[in-house]
Amino acid sequence: MKHELTLTITSLISIALAIVHISDDVVRGFDPDGFTNVRAILIMVVWLYGTLVLSEGRLKYVIMLLGSLLGSVMPLAHMRGAGMVGGRIVGSDGIHFWVWTMLTLGVVAFFSVILSAQGLWSVRRGKAQ
């Protein structure tokens, strides 16, 4: 039970941090606003549904694994190359919060990857949590 609760908590934290990050990108003008963010909203809804509604099982762990993988690569996508987002974020207001969000999302989401992979492996082997 502890494994399942920990995975649920880390997944919810990852979802919240991903939403904060996406909204910060929209406010800064890095991502377009409007209907183009519907895809991100749908991904977050599926991830949240898998986390809170689905019972323990293969589909739940697959959804959480895919969402966590997506969350763990966000920092890598934004913090590579010539500075943060190609140098556009450096020197702007809120840089500390932006970097903190990226690093925290990376850590928590990668931890969720590990937990969901363990859960998926235990379902595959037929073990109860």
Side-chain angles (χ1 to χ4, degrees), residues 1-96:
M1 180 64 183
K2 182 179 177 186
H3 175 272
E4 183 71 23
L5 178 63
T6 304
L7 177 57
T8 300
I9 291 169
T10 58
S11 188
L12 290 174
I13 292 169
S14 296
I15 292 167
L17 289 170
I19 291 170
V20 167
H21 165 67
I22 292 167
S23 62
D24 192 29
D25 278 359
V26 170
V27 168
R28 292 177 187 275
F30 298 151
D31 285 340
D33 55 353
F35 286 108
T36 56
N37 287 312
V38 170
R39 181 179 51 216
I41 291 169
L42 291 175
I43 290 170
M44 295 300 153
V45 167
V46 170
W47 191 2
L48 188 62
Y49 184 83
T51 301
L52 295 178
V53 177
L54 292 178
S55 62
E56 242 179 273
R58 183 172 296 166
L59 182 59
K60 176 182 183 98
Y61 290 120
V62 167
I63 289 173
M64 294 172 79
L65 178 66
L66 293 175
S68 299
L69 282 170
L70 182 64
S72 64
V73 298
M74 273 188 197
L76 299 174
H78 285 300
M79 298 178 136
R80 61 174 168 56
M84 320 281 175
V85 192
R88 293 184 290 170
I89 190 89
V90 176
S92 67
D93 291 336
I95 182 70
H96 183 267

Coordinates of all heavy atoms in Angstrom, one line a residue, residues 1-96:
M1 N 0.8 -1.2 0.0 CA 0.0 0.0 0.0 C 0.9 1.3 0.0 O 0.5 2.2 -0.6 CB -0.9 -0.1 1.2 CG -1.8 1.1 1.3 SD -2.9 1.2 -0.1 CE -3.8 2.7 0.2
K2 N 2.0 1.2 0.7 CA 2.8 2.4 0.8 C 3.3 2.8 -0.6 O 3.4 4.0 -1.0 CB 4.0 2.1 1.7 CG 4.9 3.3 1.9 CD 6.0 3.0 2.9 CE 6.9 4.2 2.9 NZ 8.1 4.0 3.7
H3 N 3.7 1.8 -1.4 CA 4.2 2.0 -2.8 C 3.1 2.8 -3.6 O 3.4 3.7 -4.3 CB 4.6 0.7 -3.4 CG 5.0 0.8 -4.9 ND1 4.1 0.8 -5.9 CD2 6.2 1.0 -5.4 CE1 4.7 0.9 -7.0 NE2 6.0 1.1 -6.8
E4 N 1.9 2.3 -3.5 CA 0.8 2.9 -4.3 C 0.5 4.3 -3.9 O 0.3 5.2 -4.7 CB -0.5 2.0 -4.1 CG -1.7 2.5 -4.9 CD -1.5 2.3 -6.4 OE1 -0.7 1.4 -6.8 OE2 -2.2 3.0 -7.1
L5 N 0.5 4.6 -2.6 CA 0.2 5.9 -2.0 C 1.4 6.9 -2.4 O 1.1 8.0 -2.9 CB 0.1 5.9 -0.5 CG -0.1 7.2 0.2 CD1 -1.4 7.8 -0.3 CD2 -0.1 7.0 1.7
T6 N 2.6 6.4 -2.3 CA 3.7 7.2 -2.7 C 3.7 7.6 -4.2 O 3.9 8.7 -4.6 CB 5.1 6.5 -2.4 OG1 5.1 6.2 -1.0 CG2 6.3 7.4 -2.7
L7 N 3.3 6.6 -5.0 CA 3.2 6.8 -6.5 C 2.1 7.8 -6.8 O 2.3 8.7 -7.6 CB 3.0 5.5 -7.2 CG 2.7 5.6 -8.7 CD1 3.9 6.3 -9.4 CD2 2.5 4.3 -9.3
T8 N 1.0 7.7 -6.1 CA -0.1 8.7 -6.3 C 0.3 10.1 -5.9 O 0.0 11.0 -6.7 CB -1.4 8.2 -5.5 OG1 -1.8 6.9 -5.9 CG2 -2.5 9.2 -5.6
I9 N 1.0 10.2 -4.8 CA 1.4 11.6 -4.3 C 2.4 12.1 -5.3 O 2.3 13.3 -5.7 CB 2.0 11.5 -2.9 CG1 0.8 11.2 -1.9 CG2 2.7 12.8 -2.5 CD1 1.3 10.8 -0.5
T10 N 3.4 11.4 -5.7 CA 4.4 11.9 -6.6 C 3.9 12.2 -8.0 O 4.3 13.2 -8.6 CB 5.6 11.0 -6.7 OG1 5.2 9.7 -7.2 CG2 6.4 10.8 -5.4
S11 N 2.9 11.5 -8.4 CA 2.3 11.7 -9.7 C 1.4 13.0 -9.6 O 1.5 13.8 -10.5 CB 1.4 10.5 -10.1 OG 0.9 10.7 -11.4
L12 N 0.7 13.2 -8.5 CA -0.1 14.4 -8.4 C 0.9 15.7 -8.3 O 0.5 16.7 -8.9 CB -0.9 14.4 -7.1 CG -2.1 13.4 -7.2 CD1 -2.8 13.3 -5.9 CD2 -3.1 13.8 -8.3
I13 N 2.0 15.5 -7.6 CA 2.9 16.7 -7.5 C 3.5 16.9 -8.9 O 3.6 18.1 -9.3 CB 4.0 16.4 -6.5 CG1 3.5 16.3 -5.1 CG2 5.2 17.4 -6.6 CD1 4.5 15.8 -4.0
S14 N 3.8 15.9 -9.7 CA 4.3 16.1 -11.0 C 3.3 16.8 -11.9 O 3.7 17.7 -12.7 CB 4.7 14.7 -11.6 OG 5.8 14.1 -10.9
I15 N 2.1 16.4 -11.8 CA 1.0 17.0 -12.6 C 0.9 18.5 -12.3 O 0.8 19.3 -13.2 CB -0.3 16.3 -12.4 CG1 -0.3 14.9 -13.0 CG2 -1.5 17.1 -13.0 CD1 -1.4 14.0 -12.6
A16 N 0.9 18.8 -11.0 CA 0.8 20.2 -10.6 C 2.0 21.0 -11.0 O 1.8 22.1 -11.6 CB 0.7 20.3 -9.0
L17 N 3.2 20.5 -10.9 CA 4.4 21.2 -11.4 C 4.4 21.4 -12.9 O 4.8 22.4 -13.4 CB 5.6 20.5 -10.9 CG 5.9 20.6 -9.4 CD1 7.1 19.7 -9.0 CD2 6.2 22.0 -9.0
A18 N 3.9 20.4 -13.6 CA 3.9 20.5 -15.1 C 2.9 21.6 -15.5 O 3.1 22.4 -16.4 CB 3.5 19.1 -15.7
I19 N 1.7 21.7 -14.8 CA 0.7 22.7 -15.1 C 1.3 24.1 -14.8 O 1.1 25.0 -15.5 CB -0.6 22.4 -14.4 CG1 -1.2 21.2 -14.9 CG2 -1.5 23.6 -14.4 CD1 -2.4 20.7 -14.1
V20 N 2.0 24.2 -13.6 CA 2.6 25.5 -13.3 C 3.7 25.9 -14.4 O 3.7 27.0 -14.8 CB 3.3 25.4 -11.9 CG1 4.2 26.6 -11.7 CG2 2.3 25.3 -10.8
H21 N 4.4 24.9 -14.8 CA 5.4 25.2 -15.9 C 4.8 25.6 -17.2 O 5.2 26.6 -17.8 CB 6.3 23.9 -16.1 CG 7.1 24.0 -17.3 ND1 8.1 24.9 -17.5 CD2 7.0 23.3 -18.5 CE1 8.6 24.8 -18.7 NE2 7.9 23.8 -19.3
I22 N 3.8 24.9 -17.6 CA 3.1 25.2 -18.9 C 2.5 26.6 -18.8 O 2.6 27.4 -19.7 CB 2.1 24.1 -19.2 CG1 2.8 22.8 -19.6 CG2 1.2 24.6 -20.4 CD1 1.9 21.6 -19.7
S23 N 1.9 26.9 -17.7 CA 1.3 28.2 -17.5 C 2.3 29.3 -17.5 O 2.1 30.4 -18.1 CB 0.4 28.3 -16.3 OG 1.1 28.1 -15.1
D24 N 3.5 29.1 -16.9 CA 4.5 30.0 -16.9 C 5.1 30.3 -18.3 O 5.4 31.4 -18.7 CB 5.7 29.6 -15.9 CG 6.7 30.6 -15.6 OD1 6.3 31.8 -15.7 OD2 7.9 30.3 -15.4
D25 N 5.2 29.2 -19.1 CA 5.6 29.3 -20.4 C 4.7 30.2 -21.3 O 5.1 31.0 -22.1 CB 5.8 27.9 -21.1 CG 7.2 27.3 -20.8 OD1 8.0 27.9 -20.0 OD2 7.4 26.2 -21.2
V26 N 3.4 30.0 -21.0 CA 2.4 30.8 -21.8 C 2.5 32.2 -21.4 O 2.5 33.1 -22.2 CB 0.9 30.2 -21.5 CG1 -0.1 31.2 -22.0 CG2 0.8 28.8 -22.1
V27 N 2.6 32.5 -20.1 CA 2.7 33.9 -19.6 C 3.9 34.6 -20.2 O 3.9 35.7 -20.6 CB 2.7 33.9 -18.1 CG1 3.1 35.3 -17.5 CG2 1.3 33.5 -17.5
R28 N 5.0 33.9 -20.3 CA 6.3 34.4 -20.8 C 6.3 34.5 -22.3 O 7.2 35.1 -22.9 CB 7.5 33.6 -20.3 CG 7.7 33.7 -18.8 CD 8.9 32.8 -18.4 NE 9.0 32.8 -17.0 CZ 9.7 33.6 -16.3 NH1 10.3 34.6 -16.9 NH2 9.8 33.5 -15.0
G29 N 5.3 33.9 -23.0 CA 5.3 34.0 -24.4 C 6.1 32.9 -25.1 O 6.3 32.9 -26.3
F30 N 6.5 31.9 -24.4 CA 7.3 30.8 -25.0 C 6.4 29.8 -25.7 O 6.8 29.2 -26.7 CB 8.1 30.0 -23.9 CG 9.1 30.9 -23.3 CD1 9.5 30.6 -22.0 CD2 9.7 32.0 -23.9 CE1 10.5 31.3 -21.3 CE2 10.7 32.7 -23.2 CZ 11.0 32.4 -21.9
D31 N 5.2 29.6 -25.1 CA 4.2 28.7 -25.7 C 3.0 29.6 -26.1 O 2.6 30.5 -25.4 CB 3.7 27.6 -24.8 CG 4.7 26.5 -24.6 OD1 5.6 26.4 -25.4 OD2 4.6 25.8 -23.6
P32 N 2.4 29.3 -27.3 CA 1.2 30.1 -27.6 C 0.1 29.8 -26.7 O 0.0 28.7 -26.1 CB 0.9 29.6 -29.1 CG 1.6 28.3 -29.2 CD 2.8 28.3 -28.2
D33 N -0.7 30.8 -26.5 CA -1.9 30.6 -25.7 C -3.1 30.2 -26.6 O -3.0 30.0 -27.8 CB -2.3 31.9 -24.9 CG -2.4 33.1 -25.9 OD1 -2.2 32.9 -27.1 OD2 -2.8 34.1 -25.4
G34 N -4.2 30.0 -26.0 CA -5.4 29.6 -26.7 C -5.6 28.1 -26.9 O -5.2 27.3 -26.1
F35 N -6.2 27.8 -28.0 CA -6.6 26.4 -28.3 C -5.4 25.4 -28.5 O -5.5 24.2 -28.5 CB -7.5 26.3 -29.5 CG -8.9 26.8 -29.1 CD1 -9.4 28.0 -29.6 CD2 -9.7 26.0 -28.3 CE1 -10.6 28.4 -29.3 CE2 -11.0 26.4 -28.0 CZ -11.4 27.6 -28.5
T36 N -4.2 26.0 -28.7 CA -3.0 25.1 -28.9 C -2.6 24.4 -27.7 O -1.9 23.4 -27.7 CB -1.8 25.9 -29.4 OG1 -1.6 27.0 -28.5 CG2 -2.1 26.5 -30.8
N37 N -3.1 24.8 -26.5 CA -2.8 24.2 -25.3 C -3.8 23.1 -24.9 O -3.7 22.4 -23.9 CB -2.7 25.2 -24.1 CG -1.4 26.0 -24.2 OD1 -0.3 25.4 -24.4 ND2 -1.5 27.3 -24.1
V38 N -4.8 22.9 -25.8 CA -5.8 21.8 -25.5 C -5.1 20.4 -25.4 O -5.4 19.6 -24.6 CB -6.9 21.8 -26.6 CG1 -7.7 20.6 -26.5 CG2 -7.7 23.1 -26.5
R39 N -4.1 20.2 -26.2 CA -3.3 19.0 -26.2 C -2.7 18.7 -24.8 O -2.8 17.6 -24.2 CB -2.2 19.0 -27.3 CG -1.4 17.7 -27.3 CD -0.4 17.8 -28.5 NE 0.4 19.0 -28.4 CZ 0.8 19.7 -29.4 NH1 0.6 19.3 -30.6 NH2 1.5 20.8 -29.2
A40 N -2.1 19.8 -24.3 CA -1.5 19.7 -22.9 C -2.5 19.4 -21.9 O -2.3 18.6 -20.9 CB -0.7 20.9 -22.6
I41 N -3.7 20.1 -22.0 CA -4.8 19.9 -21.1 C -5.3 18.4 -21.1 O -5.5 17.8 -20.1 CB -5.9 20.9 -21.3 CG1 -5.5 22.3 -21.0 CG2 -7.2 20.5 -20.5 CD1 -6.4 23.4 -21.4
L42 N -5.4 17.9 -22.3 CA -5.9 16.5 -22.5 C -4.9 15.5 -21.9 O -5.3 14.5 -21.2 CB -6.2 16.2 -23.9 CG -7.4 16.9 -24.5 CD1 -7.5 16.6 -26.0 CD2 -8.7 16.5 -23.8
I43 N -3.6 15.8 -22.1 CA -2.6 14.9 -21.5 C -2.7 14.9 -20.0 O -2.6 13.9 -19.3 CB -1.2 15.3 -22.0 CG1 -1.0 15.0 -23.5 CG2 -0.1 14.6 -21.2 CD1 0.2 15.5 -24.1
M44 N -2.8 16.1 -19.4 CA -2.9 16.2 -18.0 C -4.2 15.5 -17.4 O -4.2 14.9 -16.4 CB -2.9 17.7 -17.5 CG -1.6 18.4 -17.8 SD -0.2 17.6 -17.0 CE 1.1 18.1 -18.1
V45 N -5.3 15.6 -18.2 CA -6.5 15.0 -17.7 C -6.4 13.5 -17.7 O -6.8 12.8 -16.8 CB -7.7 15.4 -18.6 CG1 -8.9 14.6 -18.4 CG2 -8.1 16.9 -18.4
V46 N -5.8 12.9 -18.8 CA -5.6 11.5 -18.8 C -4.6 11.0 -17.7 O -4.9 10.0 -17.1 CB -5.0 11.1 -20.2 CG1 -4.6 9.6 -20.2 CG2 -6.1 11.3 -21.3
W47 N -3.6 11.8 -17.5 CA -2.6 11.5 -16.4 C -3.3 11.5 -15.1 O -3.1 10.6 -14.2 CB -1.5 12.4 -16.5 CG -0.3 12.1 -15.7 CD1 0.0 11.1 -14.9 CD2 0.9 12.9 -15.6 NE1 1.2 11.2 -14.3 CE2 1.8 12.3 -14.7 CE3 1.3 14.1 -16.2 CZ2 3.0 12.8 -14.4 CZ3 2.5 14.7 -15.9 CH2 3.4 14.0 -15.0
L48 N -4.1 12.5 -14.8 CA -4.9 12.7 -13.6 C -5.9 11.6 -13.4 O -6.0 11.0 -12.3 CB -5.5 14.0 -13.5 CG -6.2 14.4 -12.2 CD1 -5.2 14.5 -11.1 CD2 -6.9 15.8 -12.4
Y49 N -6.6 11.2 -14.5 CA -7.5 10.1 -14.5 C -6.9 8.8 -14.1 O -7.3 8.0 -13.3 CB -8.3 10.0 -15.8 CG -9.3 9.0 -15.9 CD1 -10.6 9.3 -15.4 CD2 -9.1 7.7 -16.4 CE1 -11.6 8.3 -15.4 CE2 -10.1 6.7 -16.4 CZ -11.4 7.1 -15.9 OH -12.3 6.1 -15.9
G50 N -5.7 8.6 -14.8 CA -5.0 7.3 -14.5 C -4.5 7.3 -13.0 O -4.5 6.2 -12.4
T51 N -4.2 8.4 -12.5 CA -3.7 8.5 -11.1 C -4.7 8.3 -10.1 O -4.6 7.6 -9.1 CB -2.9 9.9 -10.9 OG1 -1.9 10.0 -11.8 CG2 -2.4 10.0 -9.5
L52 N -5.9 8.9 -10.3 CA -6.9 9.0 -9.2 C -8.1 8.0 -9.4 O -8.7 7.6 -8.5 CB -7.5 10.4 -9.1 CG -6.5 11.4 -8.6 CD1 -7.1 12.8 -8.6 CD2 -5.9 11.1 -7.2
V53 N -8.4 7.7 -10.7 CA -9.7 7.0 -10.9 C -9.4 5.5 -11.2 O -10.1 4.6 -10.7 CB -10.5 7.6 -12.1 CG1 -11.7 6.8 -12.4 CG2 -10.8 9.0 -11.7
L54 N -8.5 5.2 -12.0 CA -8.2 3.8 -12.4 C -7.7 3.0 -11.2 O -7.0 3.5 -10.4 CB -7.2 3.7 -13.5 CG -7.6 4.2 -14.8 CD1 -6.5 4.1 -15.9 CD2 -8.9 3.5 -15.3
S55 N -8.2 1.8 -11.1 CA -7.8 0.9 -10.0 C -6.4 0.3 -10.3 O -6.0 0.4 -11.5 CB -8.8 -0.2 -9.7 OG -8.9 -1.0 -10.9
E56 N -5.8 -0.2 -9.4 CA -4.5 -0.8 -9.6 C -4.5 -1.8 -10.8 O -5.4 -2.7 -10.8 CB -4.0 -1.6 -8.3 CG -2.8 -1.0 -7.7 CD -2.4 -1.8 -6.5 OE1 -2.9 -1.5 -5.4 OE2 -1.6 -2.8 -6.6
G57 N -3.7 -1.6 -11.7 CA -3.7 -2.5 -12.8 C -2.7 -2.0 -13.9 O -2.1 -0.9 -13.7
R58 N -2.6 -2.7 -14.9 CA -1.6 -2.4 -16.0 C -1.8 -1.0 -16.6 O -0.9 -0.3 -16.8 CB -1.6 -3.5 -17.0 CG -0.6 -3.3 -18.1 CD -0.5 -4.5 -19.0 NE 0.0 -5.6 -18.2 CZ 0.0 -6.9 -18.6 NH1 -0.6 -7.2 -19.7 NH2 0.4 -7.8 -17.8
L59 N -3.1 -0.7 -17.0 CA -3.4 0.6 -17.6 C -3.0 1.7 -16.8 O -2.5 2.7 -17.2 CB -4.8 0.6 -18.0 CG -5.3 1.9 -18.8 CD1 -4.5 2.0 -20.1 CD2 -6.8 1.8 -19.1
K60 N -3.3 1.6 -15.5 CA -3.0 2.7 -14.5 C -1.5 3.0 -14.5 O -1.0 4.1 -14.6 CB -3.5 2.3 -13.1 CG -3.1 3.4 -12.1 CD -3.5 2.9 -10.7 CE -3.2 3.9 -9.7 NZ -4.3 4.8 -9.3
Y61 N -0.7 1.9 -14.4 CA 0.8 2.1 -14.4 C 1.3 2.6 -15.7 O 2.3 3.3 -15.7 CB 1.4 0.8 -13.9 CG 1.2 0.5 -12.5 CD1 0.5 -0.7 -12.1 CD2 1.6 1.3 -11.5 CE1 0.3 -1.0 -10.8 CE2 1.3 1.1 -10.1 CZ 0.7 -0.1 -9.8 OH 0.5 -0.4 -8.5
V62 N 0.8 2.1 -16.8 CA 1.2 2.6 -18.1 C 1.0 4.1 -18.3 O 1.9 4.8 -18.7 CB 0.6 1.8 -19.3 CG1 0.8 2.4 -20.6 CG2 1.1 0.4 -19.3
I63 N -0.2 4.5 -17.9 CA -0.5 6.0 -18.0 C 0.4 6.8 -17.1 O 0.9 7.8 -17.5 CB -2.0 6.2 -17.6 CG1 -2.9 5.7 -18.8 CG2 -2.3 7.7 -17.4 CD1 -4.4 5.7 -18.4
M64 N 0.6 6.3 -15.9 CA 1.4 7.0 -15.0 C 2.9 7.0 -15.4 O 3.6 8.0 -15.3 CB 1.3 6.5 -13.6 CG -0.1 6.8 -13.0 SD -0.5 6.0 -11.5 CE 0.4 7.0 -10.3
L65 N 3.3 5.9 -16.0 CA 4.7 5.8 -16.5 C 4.9 6.8 -17.7 O 5.9 7.6 -17.7 CB 5.0 4.4 -17.0 CG 6.4 4.2 -17.6 CD1 7.5 4.4 -16.5 CD2 6.5 2.8 -18.2
L66 N 3.9 6.9 -18.6 CA 4.1 7.8 -19.8 C 4.0 9.2 -19.3 O 4.8 10.1 -19.8 CB 3.0 7.5 -20.8 CG 3.1 6.1 -21.5 CD1 1.9 5.9 -22.4 CD2 4.4 6.0 -22.3
G67 N 3.1 9.5 -18.4 CA 3.0 10.9 -17.9 C 4.3 11.3 -17.2 O 4.8 12.4 -17.3
S68 N 4.8 10.4 -16.4 CA 6.0 10.7 -15.6 C 7.2 10.8 -16.5 O 8.1 11.7 -16.3 CB 6.3 9.6 -14.6 OG 5.2 9.5 -13.7
L69 N 7.3 10.0 -17.6 CA 8.4 10.2 -18.5 C 8.3 11.6 -19.2 O 9.3 12.2 -19.4 CB 8.3 9.1 -19.6 CG 8.8 7.7 -19.2 CD1 8.5 6.7 -20.2 CD2 10.3 7.8 -19.0
L70 N 7.1 12.0 -19.6 CA 6.9 13.3 -20.2 C 7.4 14.4 -19.2 O 8.1 15.3 -19.6 CB 5.5 13.5 -20.6 CG 5.1 14.8 -21.3 CD1 5.8 14.9 -22.6 CD2 3.6 14.9 -21.4
G71 N 6.9 14.3 -17.9 CA 7.3 15.3 -16.9 C 8.8 15.3 -16.7 O 9.4 16.3 -16.5
S72 N 9.5 14.1 -16.7 CA 10.9 14.1 -16.4 C 11.8 14.6 -17.6 O 12.9 15.0 -17.4 CB 11.3 12.7 -16.0 OG 11.2 11.8 -17.1
V73 N 11.2 14.7 -18.8 CA 12.0 15.2 -19.9 C 11.8 16.7 -20.1 O 12.6 17.3 -20.9 CB 11.8 14.4 -21.2 CG1 12.2 13.0 -21.1 CG2 10.4 14.6 -21.7
M74 N 10.8 17.3 -19.5 CA 10.6 18.7 -19.6 C 11.8 19.5 -19.2 O 12.2 20.4 -20.0 CB 9.4 19.2 -18.8 CG 8.1 19.0 -19.5 SD 6.8 19.8 -18.5 CE 5.3 19.1 -19.3
P75 N 12.4 19.3 -18.1 CA 13.6 20.0 -17.7 C 14.8 19.8 -18.7 O 15.5 20.8 -19.1 CB 14.0 19.5 -16.3 CG 12.8 18.9 -15.8 CD 12.0 18.4 -17.0
L76 N 14.9 18.6 -19.2 CA 16.0 18.4 -20.2 C 15.7 19.1 -21.5 O 16.7 19.7 -22.1 CB 16.1 16.9 -20.5 CG 16.4 16.0 -19.3 CD1 16.3 14.5 -19.7 CD2 17.8 16.3 -18.7
A77 N 14.5 19.2 -21.9 CA 14.2 19.9 -23.1 C 14.4 21.4 -23.0 O 14.8 22.1 -24.0 CB 12.7 19.7 -23.5
H78 N 14.2 22.0 -21.8 CA 14.3 23.4 -21.6 C 15.7 23.9 -21.1 O 16.0 25.1 -21.2 CB 13.2 23.9 -20.6 CG 11.9 23.9 -21.2 ND1 11.5 24.7 -22.2 CD2 10.7 23.3 -20.8 CE1 10.3 24.5 -22.5 NE2 9.7 23.7 -21.7
M79 N 16.4 23.0 -20.6 CA 17.7 23.4 -20.0 C 18.9 22.9 -20.7 O 19.9 22.6 -20.1 CB 17.8 23.0 -18.5 CG 16.7 23.6 -17.7 SD 16.8 23.0 -16.0 CE 16.6 24.5 -15.1
R80 N 18.8 22.8 -22.0 CA 19.9 22.3 -22.8 C 20.4 23.4 -23.7 O 19.7 24.4 -23.9 CB 19.5 21.1 -23.6 CG 18.4 21.3 -24.6 CD 18.2 20.1 -25.5 NE 17.0 20.1 -26.3 CZ 16.6 21.1 -27.2 NH1 17.3 22.1 -27.3 NH2 15.5 20.9 -27.8
G81 N 21.5 23.2 -24.3 CA 22.0 24.2 -25.3 C 22.5 25.5 -24.6 O 23.1 25.4 -23.6
A82 N 22.3 26.6 -25.3 CA 22.9 27.9 -24.8 C 22.0 28.5 -23.8 O 21.4 29.5 -24.0 CB 23.1 28.8 -26.0
G83 N 22.0 27.9 -22.6 CA 21.2 28.5 -21.5 C 19.8 28.0 -21.5 O 19.3 27.2 -22.3
M84 N 19.0 28.6 -20.6 CA 17.7 28.3 -20.4 C 16.8 28.7 -21.6 O 16.8 29.9 -21.9 CB 17.1 28.9 -19.2 CG 17.9 28.9 -18.0 SD 18.0 27.3 -17.2 CE 19.2 27.7 -16.0
V85 N 16.2 27.8 -22.3 CA 15.3 28.1 -23.4 C 16.1 29.0 -24.4 O 15.6 30.0 -24.8 CB 14.0 28.7 -23.0 CG1 13.0 28.8 -24.1 CG2 13.4 28.0 -21.8
G86 N 17.3 28.7 -24.7 CA 18.1 29.4 -25.7 C 18.4 30.8 -25.2 O 18.7 31.7 -26.0
G87 N 18.5 31.0 -23.9 CA 18.9 32.3 -23.3 C 17.7 33.3 -23.1 O 17.9 34.3 -22.6
R88 N 16.5 32.9 -23.6 CA 15.4 33.8 -23.4 C 14.9 34.0 -22.0 O 14.4 35.1 -21.6 CB 14.2 33.4 -24.2 CG 14.4 33.4 -25.7 CD 13.2 33.0 -26.5 NE 12.9 31.6 -26.3 CZ 11.8 31.0 -26.7 NH1 10.9 31.6 -27.2 NH2 11.7 29.7 -26.5
I89 N 15.1 33.1 -21.1 CA 14.7 33.1 -19.7 C 15.7 33.8 -18.8 O 15.3 34.4 -17.8 CB 14.3 31.7 -19.2 CG1 13.6 31.8 -17.9 CG2 15.5 30.9 -19.0 CD1 12.1 32.0 -18.0
V90 N 17.0 33.7 -19.2 CA 18.0 34.3 -18.4 C 17.8 35.8 -18.2 O 17.6 36.5 -19.2 CB 19.4 34.0 -19.0 CG1 20.5 34.7 -18.2 CG2 19.6 32.5 -19.0
G91 N 17.9 36.3 -17.0 CA 17.7 37.7 -16.7 C 16.3 38.2 -16.7 O 16.0 39.3 -16.4
S92 N 15.3 37.3 -16.9 CA 13.9 37.7 -16.7 C 13.4 37.6 -15.3 O 14.1 36.9 -14.5 CB 13.0 36.9 -17.7 OG 13.0 35.6 -17.3
D93 N 12.3 38.2 -15.0 CA 11.7 38.1 -13.7 C 11.3 36.7 -13.4 O 10.8 36.0 -14.3 CB 10.5 39.0 -13.6 CG 10.9 40.5 -13.6 OD1 12.1 40.8 -13.2 OD2 10.1 41.3 -13.9
G94 N 11.4 36.2 -12.2 CA 10.9 34.9 -11.8 C 11.8 33.8 -12.3 O 11.4 32.6 -12.2
I95 N 13.1 34.0 -12.6 CA 14.0 33.0 -13.1 C 14.2 31.9 -12.0 O 14.2 30.7 -12.3 CB 15.3 33.6 -13.6 CG1 16.2 32.5 -14.1 CG2 16.0 34.3 -12.5 CD1 15.8 31.9 -15.4
H96 N 14.3 32.3 -10.7 CA 14.6 31.4 -9.7 C 13.4 30.4 -9.6 O 13.6 29.2 -9.5 CB 14.8 32.1 -8.3 CG 15.1 31.2 -7.2 ND1 14.1 30.7 -6.4 CD2 16.3 30.6 -6.8 CE1 14.7 29.9 -5.5 NE2 16.0 29.8 -5.7

